[in-house]
Amino acid sequence: INRMRPGEAYLEHDEALMKEYEALHPTKSRMSKYMAKENFPLYKNNHIEYYSMGEEAFQAIFEELEKAENFILINFFIIAEGAIWDKLHHILLRKIQQGVEVKFLYDDFGAALRTDKKFRQELEKEGFEVQVFNPIHRYTGKLYMNYRSHQKILVIDGNVGFTGGFNIADEYANLVERFGKWKDNGIRLEGDAVWGLTVTFLQMWAVCSDDTINYDKYRPSKKFPPSNVYCHVISDGPANNPNNPIESIYKQMINLSKHYLYITTPYLVIEDGMKNALIETARSGVDVRIITPNIPDKKYVKMLTNYNYGALLENGVRIYEYTPGFIHAKTIINEHCGIIGTINMDYRSFYLHYENGVWMSNEEVIDVIKEDLLKTMAESREIIFI
């Protein structure tokens, strides 16, 4: 935890920008102020591309990696050997040979089952800088399931960043079928907010490494054109306990929605406070809709998800199950703003894992995401009663 602290000094807050945003968006600025208080600065001058499927995100990632000149930062929960890993590995090796620094961070639990035992040593031999989050050999029993890094962050030269629900495994790009069609989503972020992703990555790197990190070395290499796409990069984890800002940010998004609130989540295992917030919002006349998987990846979680349907349906929340298969995308949007990232609507995400996301405030960006969710609902089955 203490190793994360030095990174906080690099999260610069722009008071003039906060005032500008408040004047433009008095309602949304409440959330923005809260996030700034939790040390997630507000950024503008961003450009966001939204990917409605994992395969689209990977295509963009591969194209962007080819352009890397200085450094590449990668943090994923699951690494599985296969076609996606082979292509990624091939590009990264070439970049290392060209003198690009590659920092590769992954969660031990997420990689242990689907990579070779010598995975780390092989990468280090090839010139990768590697850190493994929370090695599982220290634990026995169920303890290793918690306190994982569930974050997904990729940063190229400090100028472009990616995040979303996808991991480095073939099912996320529908190259293999595990639970029917796999729907994930993600974003490509270019602009001032990439610095938030860079600092979040470096803080997690610092937790795993004894090195002193020179944060300034990873600053963006260019100035970004002005734009009114405002973002906060948010992150969370057990180091915050008992203060969990992401859960609170979700509740504020629910409570501040006036017209609609659309959510996608693979797991709907929520506490009473979250359930009540959704119910109150639906009872206030807001169009609240949640998309969950039809084909689950974890049977017992599906049972809990279904158990949570009852009270929500009775109080006007509309629930859709993604008929083609498994929806792994983590999304929450209302007419004001949205979050895309790694955050599931479950206890583990809010309390036990390290997560990250990007809060976005721009009508055009939100409209693109909304259109995708409406299309997804059209492919889904609406649950009428339990």
Side-chain angles (χ1 to χ4, degrees), residues 333-348:
I333 59 168
N334 61 26
E335 67 279 3
H336 300 300
C337 49
I339 299 170
I340 301 275
T342 70
I343 307 140
N344 296 318
M345 291 273 289
D346 70 352
Y347 183 87
R348 192 167 268 156

Side-chain angles (χ1 to χ4, degrees), residues 263-272 274-276 278-279 282 288-323 325-327 345 380-386:
I263 293 167
T264 70
T265 183
Y267 318 119
L268 189 65
V269 183
I270 48 179
E271 302 293 287
D272 286 347
M274 190 64 76
K275 198 185 289 186
N276 292 338
L278 289 164
I279 286 170
V288 180
R289 306 187 195 186
I290 303 172
I291 310 172
T292 67
N294 178 46
I295 303 174
D297 68 336
K298 301 179 178 75
K299 295 276 194 299
Y300 68 95
V301 179
K302 176 73 174 143
M303 285 160 64
L304 285 167
T305 292
N306 286 6
Y307 172 77
N308 278 316
Y309 286 175
L312 296 172
L313 289 169
E314 280 166 24
N315 287 284
V317 175
R318 296 174 73 182
I319 295 172
Y320 295 79
E321 286 191 350
Y322 179 62
T323 321
F326 183 57
I327 187 160
M345 291 273 289
S380 304
R381 174 174 66 106
E382 184 168 3
I383 305 298
I384 305 301
F385 58 87
I386 287 295

Side-chain angles (χ1 to χ4, degrees), residues 14 27 96 109 116 130 139 151 190 213 229 234 282 360 377:
D14 182 339
T27 308
I96 288 169
F109 179 72
D116 189 86
V130 183
Y139 305 113
Q151 294 179 351
E190 184 170 4
I213 295 170
V229 180
I234 58 177
M360 303 163 280
M377 288 172 212

Side-chain angles (χ1 to χ4, degrees), residues 324-374:
F326 183 57
I327 187 160
H328 189 256
K330 301 103 170 48
T331 324
I332 181 166
I333 59 168
N334 61 26
E335 67 279 3
H336 300 300
C337 49
I339 299 170
I340 301 275
T342 70
I343 307 140
N344 296 318
M345 291 273 289
D346 70 352
Y347 183 87
R348 192 167 268 156
S349 259
F350 290 136
Y351 294 95
L352 302 176
H353 282 173
Y354 288 88
E355 305 283 1
N356 74 276
V358 176
W359 181 91
M360 303 163 280
S361 166
N362 175 273
E363 269 177 40
E364 285 140 54
V365 172
I366 298 302
D367 283 347
V368 169
I369 301 169
K370 183 186 183 186
E371 199 177 314
D372 175 46
L373 298 195
L374 288 170

Side-chain angles (χ1 to χ4, degrees), residues 19 41 67 97 110 137 184 204 217 223 248 255 259-260 266 302 334 341 374:
K19 287 196 168 73
K67 301 175 199 166
Q97 283 150 15
H137 62 74
D184 226 312
M204 293 303 275
K217 182 184 168 190
K223 271 274 191 236
S248 183
N255 294 329
H259 302 300
Y260 73 88
K302 176 73 174 143
N334 61 26
L374 288 170

